[in-house]
Amino acid sequence: MKKLFKLFIICSVSFLLFGCNKDDNKLVMVTEAGFAPYEYRDSSGIVGVDVDIAREIAAAMGKELEIKDVAFDSLINELNSGKADFAAAGMSINEERKKEVDFSIEYVSSKQVVVVRKDYNKIKNINDLNGKTISVQLGSVADTYVTKNFKNSKIVRQKKFLSAAEDVKAKKSECIIMDELPAKELVKNNSELTILKIELFTDKYAIAVKKGNTELLNKINEVLEKLIEEGKIEEFVINHSS
């Protein structure tokens, strides 16, 4: 019985030490799936711009992509504990984060613009947005921005920008705040709408890896450079915003 007990202990410890290691054939992406159009959930699971990019990275490395959905403030811990290979979550580079992780090249410049009906003239500058009814995509950077900065405004949150466009066209809301790229596509297909010459803010995103993981970082940068050169990332943004 003592021998069996010792064997059980050895097996249990071995499992704890080695059984939880990541599969070398998998590339683990960690994200927070509440930031459309970059990462969000639909009927097929977690999708978005960052997921499309991650699939390209995994394919280039000959690995299977695994996606973990965690709280945004846990992303860096997931990397540093070895539970994930990289974080892609619409993550901005700042000095505090640079102390904890290494960042890829910036792959998206998210410029936020205002879309209105062509016959609407009550928004001349940013301050005019106060008190207005504003449509945004649920969980997007615009949603976060409007919620924080325009507390006197009514926010209409839609899953898709097409629904937001219908709000504006039907005069249920006065404007849409959204990324410039999908905004251009939206206006191109809706002649009643136009983009105002008001730039709210521009944010830039990068992919994070554990500090010192140069091999993976170089591969990620290689894939990102290729996707940027081919215009694929712009396509991904448009595809997930329409």
Side-chain angles (χ1 to χ4, degrees):
M1 287 297 292
K2 286 183 178 179
K3 288 181 180 180
L4 286 172
F5 181 72
K6 287 180 180 178
L7 181 62
F8 172 77
I9 294 296
I10 291 170
C11 290
S12 298
V13 171
S14 297
F15 176 78
L16 289 172
L17 290 175
F18 305 109
C20 295
N21 289 344
K22 294 197 296 359
D23 186 339
D24 287 340
N25 294 317
K26 289 186 177 181
L27 191 66
V28 181
M29 164 190 171
V30 66
T31 191
E32 181 188 33
F35 189 57
Y38 297 96
E39 36 273 319
Y40 61 98
R41 289 184 179 272
D42 69 5
S43 58
S44 64
I46 300 172
V47 296
V49 177
D50 285 335
V51 176
D52 289 346
I53 292 171
R55 294 195 190 286
E56 295 285 344
I57 295 167
M61 298 179 69
K63 295 191 175 187
E64 178 188 349
L65 180 67
E66 179 181 328
I67 305 171
K68 293 180 66 178
D69 184 14
V70 302
F72 191 85
D73 60 4
S74 298
L75 295 174
I76 289 175
N77 287 337
E78 290 285 316
L79 294 178
N80 290 335
S81 65
K83 294 177 182 177
D85 296 300
F86 66 94
M91 185 181 286
S92 306
I93 300 173
N94 62 36
E95 292 305 313
E96 184 179 346
R97 289 172 184 163
K98 283 168 70 175
K99 293 175 184 177
E100 299 184 86
V101 294
D102 288 336
F103 281 103
S104 70
I105 61 172
E106 295 169 348
Y107 62 92
V108 164
S109 180
S110 176
K111 179 180 176 182
Q112 299 297 303
V113 297
V114 181
V115 176
V116 297
R117 296 188 317 277
K118 284 183 177 177
D119 62 354
Y120 184 81
N121 60 5
K122 294 183 179 179
I123 299 174
K124 304 293 185 183
N125 55 55
I126 292 177
N127 292 332
D128 288 339
L129 291 166
N130 280 310
K132 298 294 189 293
T133 301
I134 304 170
S135 288
V136 295
Q137 188 173 41
L138 178 66
S140 66
V141 64
D143 187 357
T144 304
Y145 174 79
V146 172
T147 301
K148 180 180 178 182
N149 292 283
F150 302 107
K151 298 186 184 301
N152 295 325
S153 297
K154 179 182 177 182
I155 305 171
V156 180
R157 297 176 175 88
Q158 298 285 8
K159 290 185 178 180
K160 294 289 182 181
F161 284 127
L162 288 177
S163 299
E166 292 305 314
D167 287 341
V168 172
K169 286 157 64 174
K171 301 183 180 182
K172 293 179 180 178
S173 67
E174 291 158 279
C175 66
I176 311 167
I177 294 179
M178 59 188 294
D179 278 7
E180 183 181 36
L181 281 175
K184 286 180 177 179
E185 288 296 310
L186 192 68
V187 167
K188 186 167 70 176
N189 296 310
N190 292 271
S191 58
E192 313 97 305
L193 303 179
T194 188
I195 300 172
L196 296 180
K197 293 180 179 178
I198 299 173
E199 183 178 342
L200 300 179
F201 68 94
T202 299
D203 206 1
K204 296 183 177 181
Y205 305 143
I207 292 173
V209 302
K210 186 176 182 179
K211 263 204 171 300
N213 194 349
T214 308
E215 183 178 354
L216 176 57
L217 190 62
N218 289 342
K219 190 64 184 178
I220 288 172
N221 282 336
E222 180 184 318
V223 174
L224 288 176
E225 286 169 357
K226 182 173 183 290
L227 293 175
I228 291 169
E229 184 180 345
E230 295 175 350
K232 290 290 186 182
I233 294 178
E234 290 186 2
E235 286 182 22
F236 296 159
V237 173
I238 292 166
N239 288 342
H240 288 286
S241 301
S242 58

